[in-house]
Structures are given as structure tokens and as C-alpha cells.
Amino acid sequence: MSENGSQPARTPDKQNPARSLDAHVDRYAQRTAGMTASEIRALFAVASRPEVVSLAGGMPNLAALPLDSLAAEVSHLVAQDGQVALQYGSAHGVPQLREQICEIMALEGISAHPDDVMVTVGSQMALDMVTRIFCDPGDVVLAEGPSYVGALGSFAAYQADVVHVAMDDDGLQPEALRQAIAEVTARGGRIKFLYTIPNFHNPGGVTLAVQRRAEVLEICAQHGILVLEDNPYGLLGFDGQTYPALRSTDPDNVVYLGSFSKTFASGLRVGWVLAPHAVREKLVLAAESATLCPPTLNQMIVSRYLSTHDWKGQIKVFREQYRERRDAMLGALEQHMPEGCSWTCPDGGFYVWLTAPEGVDTKAMLPRAVTQRVAYASGTGFYRDQLGSRQMRLSYCYPTPERIREGVRRLANTLTEEMELVRTFGTTGRRSVPGPQAPSPDTA
Ligand code: PMP
């Protein structure tokens, strides 16, 4: 610090320019090389400006939560059980909550013992822990293409190599899975697990067809590949339908992740992992070294909510709210999108995956969309290998139906102009068209 308290000006390091920006650059572990800010995070700053309709983020809509009665419950909880609620707990999680989690999983055909459940700080922590205990640098994780950006971040952080498996409207394609396994095996790669989001996929918006589920499990079992089933949206099917969890068919070869983020409150950060007993033991050791234990108060809030509120009725309210928004988005896409665009039609969850015509580069187009006051998540962020340049994820979970319709109208205008530019100049990715700078990760 200088005398007036400001940071001294840095002397540029000509030999190593990166050091001029970060004096610690030579000290970081190699694994940090794979840690980059996701494109979605980089977008947050611009997308949250009020004039911009953000179809980019995946924030659950909490407007329907009964905040007053929740406040009363929390206050009661701290007054009555504060000595326990504000204390350390076990790394495994609060026993009563683990029992309730088993009842929730039974809705998707899972029969599990509470001992095999570990509560985590959101299912994101479970993704991190599972990757930590299974993946050495260079190991291969198979994942749908596109895939959840937070999972790709965890795999990158442990230097695992992701190989994508194609999807269609019925989810992961078994034939593409066979091919991916054959290719990785032929080049001597070591596959650790298949990461899959079978229901209401993020970002794909599709669901793995029931008749494909047994086949996917069979292929993995045949090749000795563990399945990591990530299911935060399973109870958010718009018709109230649930699908049999992969875990319900093959308990010994599936690690299952669940979360209260989309069905209750994402800010409490309570999720879980259900794993074969020996795997669960390893996960508890890994979790202890990361967090000692998940937050006791938050777990008790969730547990109390489940026992005192009509949580199934609340999920129904969420489903209806999301269905209305999905309908607003699909209707507006149908009405406004230029010829040549296609998109998925989700039966649940938060997301539509849109494919633009040949030549459009959605990442290059994004600053121009923001100028037109609409934001989306461009497709390449959902792949490890730069695929997805013609795709984008559109979230309908958070804005009101009117804002969604307006956002889609603005996006359609942007795309129409973009396609005109493509016709005149060629692909947008290689062209320099004036527009605001894309936000840098540092501004997010
Ligand atoms: N998996 C998927 C597929 C998700 O979409 C998300 C959140 N967007 C998560 C895991 C992480 O959820 P959380 O940590 O809030 O439980």
C-alpha cells in the first residue's frame, strides 16, 4: 500500500506479462489451468441490468414460496433447537433429513437406506466430491453433449477429459454411447463414469426416453462404467409425471444426485448424494476434508419445511408457474423466430435449447443481442470441445411470461439481422461487426 492507502502501481514484467496482472501466477497448482469463468458467469453483470430481458441464467423463481410461515418456522427452530441447529453436525448429514430424502426418492422408484445418503452443499458439491474420489488427471468422463456447465467445471478442476455423447429428442443416444466407449477404449483412455441428466436436461430441455434407460444402464454395466445420475429437475415435470430413476434399476452401479434447489430454496444450498455403501464412505471422508459438515441450520430448515408444509402442493405450484412460462416461450418462438431455427420442447425443468441456421455464431452475436436488450447463454459454454457455436440455451424459469415474450421477440429480431449479415458476409464468428464488448469474466 502507498501512504495514501491506494495500491502501488504495478511494474510491468516484460519477461512474463501474466505476472504483471497476477503476482502469484507461477505458484498455482497445475489443476487451476482448467478453471476458467463460465460464459454464463461472465454474462451475469450485463444480463442483470433491468432493461435487459435475461433468458441466460437458471435461477429458480421463488415468488411462490410462503415466506411468512417459513420465517415463523425458522424463528421457532432457532428458539427451540438452537443449541443443535447452530452447532457442528456429522459430515453425513442430519439423520431425520436423510430419512425424508429417502421418501422423496421413492417417488421415482428408488428404494434406499438413509445410511447411504450423504447431504451436501447443493448437488454442486456432490459433483465435486464424486469427481474428486474417482478422477485422476487424464481420466475420461462421458457426458451428454451439451452438458451442465457446473459439472464441466468440476471435471475440468480435476483435470478429467470430457468426451461428449450425442442426444436427440429422446435424450442420450445409446448408439452414440457405444461409439464413444469404443473410441476412448481404442485409444487407451480410462473411462471413470458416465455423467447424465436424464430428466428435463440442462441445457438440452429433453428427457431420456424410458425405453432407453435400461439400455444405457446395460451398456455401462457391460463396460464396467459407473453412472452418475444428476436429477435436480425430476419432480418438475409439467404434467406431474415422474420417470423411473436410473438408480432404481441398478443400485450397485449408479451414484444419484438430488437437490432442494429447484423444488424449495436454492439459497439454502442443500442437496444430496446416494451412493453404494463403500462409495458413500469415501464421499464422507472427502466431504469432511472440504467442509467438515453441511450447514446444520439449513438442513434443519429443510427438514422442518418437509414435515410442516405441503411441500408436494408447493412443487405443484412451481410446476404450474414454470409451465406457464414454458408455454409463453414456445408460443413466442413459434410466432417470431426466423425460418431455419429449431428448438427443443421441454416437458419440465427450466430450459429450451435453440439451434440457429448454418453460419450464425451465437457467441459472436451475443453482444449485439445485449444491445437489443436480450441475453441468452451461448452454446459453446456447454461443451468441452468448442461445439455448440450455432446453439444457445434459453431459460424461461425466472422472467414473467410477458418479459419472456418480449425477450424472444427481441432475440428473433437480432437473429434475423444476423442471418442477413451471414448471407452478405459469411459466418459471424470470423467477421468483426461493431458492437459492445462481450463482458469479461472479471466484470461478472
Ligand atoms: N446439476 C444440474 C443439472 C443443475 O442444473 C444444477 C443447477 N443449475 C446443479 C446440478 C447444481 O444445483 P445445486 O448445487 O443448487 O443443487
Side-chain angles (χ1 to χ4, degrees), residues 73-101:
E73 290 293 350
V74 174
S75 154
H76 187 69
L77 182 62
V78 173
Q80 276 223 316
D81 292 324
Q83 295 287 347
V84 179
L86 301 176
Q87 186 55 279
Y88 288 121
S90 91
H92 211 148
V94 165
Q96 192 189 350
L97 179 61
R98 287 189 279 112
E99 280 169 27
Q100 291 163 309
I101 285 171

Side-chain angles (χ1 to χ4, degrees), residues 121-124 127 148 195 197 202 230 232-233 259 261-262 269 351:
V121 181
S123 52
Q124 187 63 42
L127 278 167
Y148 167 51
Y195 168 68
I197 308 159
N202 177 8
D230 187 10
Y233 304 97
S259 174
S261 287
K262 324 289 172 180
R269 311 301 303 123
Y351 311 105

